[in-house]
Amino acid sequence: MSKNLFDLTGKVALITGGNSGIGLGFAEGVAKQGADVCVWGRNLEKNAAVVEKLGEFGSKVHAVCCDVSDEAAVEKSFAETLEVFGRVDGCFANSGVAKSGRFEEFSTEDWRHVMDVNLDGLFYTLRCAAKHMKQRAEAGDPGGRLIGTSSLGALMGMARVEAYGASKGAVISMMQALAVEYARWGVTANSILPGHIETAMTKDNYANEKFANAILPRIPARRWGDRSDFEGIAAYLMSDASRYHTGDSLLIDGGFFLY
Ligand code: NAP
């Protein structure tokens, strides 16, 4: 293992939903440690902004316009990623959407949309990455990191977000199975479970005084998380230091779940 445990020079990270929020935190964390980064997202403006931002760290950065719920688009985008970078060492399947509403009124359309992005999208993405990492291992270059963004919503009974919670629970199960299936090729698979993190997805809720007054006092760290809280875990999981750490579900929540 290298002297600098978290040196990512020469490694390539692929981060879906890396143009904003938690995914951008992952991207900044690995770029600061020298990794090259490929970001996937649908919004061209956010994609362009992230290329400029990550460029500051001296990494090679490329953004791909990809809707992860579109299987063909994911296959095409993964091929483009390999064309640009030659390899993928760590794949963060992080794109996600949330829909809330009373369960008995929740539409099938909204249920499908949440599953299409949060679960099917993660499956399409990680399938490409796992195949690539296994092929590389069989060619004498083992290793690889599969990371799925789950949520505390997978563990806690969060009323009115049943579809979201179900999709995120499935992420944990999938990462555990991948950990077992791909260990022989030196590939690890882990889930990250963010708590209450201030991003585009949550900012309206947090601006609501009633919501903030109910939740904030229950966070032992006494603040919402922000994207910078995800830099360290991304660098660790991409690094050789985490090579024997697999099948885990890592809470990044300021102590919320325990309290
Ligand atoms: P965010 O800032 O809204 O980021 C969501 C990201 O997903 C964006 O980059 C978005 O990019 C991308 N995305 C959405 N739909 C997509 C699609 N169909 N195809 C490709 N990319 C898509 O929210 P965030 O809070 O950082 O969320 C990131 C992940 O963390 C999600 O999986 C979320 O469920 C999870 N999470 C968040 C919290 C929290 O408190 N914030 C807690 C637990 C888990 P484009 O719009 O450009 O497509």
Side-chain angles (χ1 to χ4, degrees):
M1 215 181 284
S2 102
K3 201 170 161 196
N4 178 349
L5 282 179
F6 307 109
D7 181 9
L8 303 180
T9 308
K11 292 189 191 289
V12 177
L14 160 59
I15 304 169
T16 74
N19 64 18
S20 124
I22 291 169
L24 179 55
F26 291 151
E28 288 173 317
V30 299
K32 283 179 184 174
Q33 294 304 117
D36 293 331
V37 183
C38 191
V39 164
W40 294 5
R42 295 160 308 165
N43 183 304
L44 294 178
E45 270 175 37
K46 288 197 292 179
N47 282 357
V50 84
V51 169
E52 200 179 320
K53 185 161 194 38
L54 295 179
E56 284 170 22
F57 303 116
S59 306
K60 178 174 172 178
V61 187
H62 180 70
V64 179
C65 182
C66 176
D67 179 341
V68 295
S69 68
D70 177 341
E71 182 175 5
V74 169
E75 297 280 339
K76 192 164 163 272
S77 301
F78 198 85
E80 180 178 333
T81 305
L82 287 183
E83 217 173 278
V84 173
F85 293 95
R87 60 190 291 122
V88 171
D89 296 282
C91 180
F92 294 75
N94 166 76
S95 289
V97 291
K99 293 264 180 197
S100 61
R102 287 179 202 284
F103 184 63
E104 75 272 15
E105 288 158 13
F106 202 77
S107 72
T108 304
E109 195 187 354
D110 281 352
W111 169 270
R112 268 282 25 113
H113 180 58
V114 170
M115 292 299 166
D116 283 348
V117 178
N118 295 7
L119 188 53
D120 295 11
L122 178 130
F123 161 62
Y124 302 142
T125 306
L126 294 179
R127 183 175 58 180
C128 287
K131 185 175 173 188
H132 163 69
M133 288 168 187
K134 179 175 166 182
Q135 278 170 353
R136 261 201 4 236
E138 287 174 343
D141 184 9
R145 301 287 186 266
L146 304 174
I147 295 115
T149 303
S150 174
S151 168
L152 274 196
L155 306 182
M156 303 179 82
M158 287 170 62
R160 299 188 186 176
V161 282
E162 285 82 4
Y164 181 80
S167 71
K168 295 300 186 178
V171 171
I172 295 176
S173 304
M174 194 188 303
M175 300 319 292
Q176 288 172 342
L178 290 173
V180 176
E181 183 166 351
Y182 286 90
R184 72 193 64 184
W185 292 288
V187 176
T188 69
N190 291 287
S191 305
I192 294 180
L193 280 64
H196 286 285
I197 316 303
E198 196 159 19
T199 66
M201 186 182 277
T202 54
K203 67 177 176 4
D204 290 346
N205 275 345
Y206 299 174
N208 177 322
E209 215 174 310
K210 198 172 160 201
F211 183 89
N213 287 341
I215 302 292
L216 259 182
R218 292 172 48 208
I219 302 176
R222 290 290 186 269
R223 65 170 177 85
W224 308 120
D226 65 48
R227 71 170 197 259
S228 67
D229 294 312
F230 292 82
E231 293 182 4
I233 193 68
Y236 167 68
L237 286 178
M238 274 289 292
S239 75
D240 291 342
S242 68
R243 67 189 178 193
Y244 204 62
H245 189 170
T246 194
D248 205 354
S249 305
L250 297 135
L251 301 178
I252 307 289
D253 71 342
F256 181 72
F257 185 65
L258 291 174
Y259 184 47

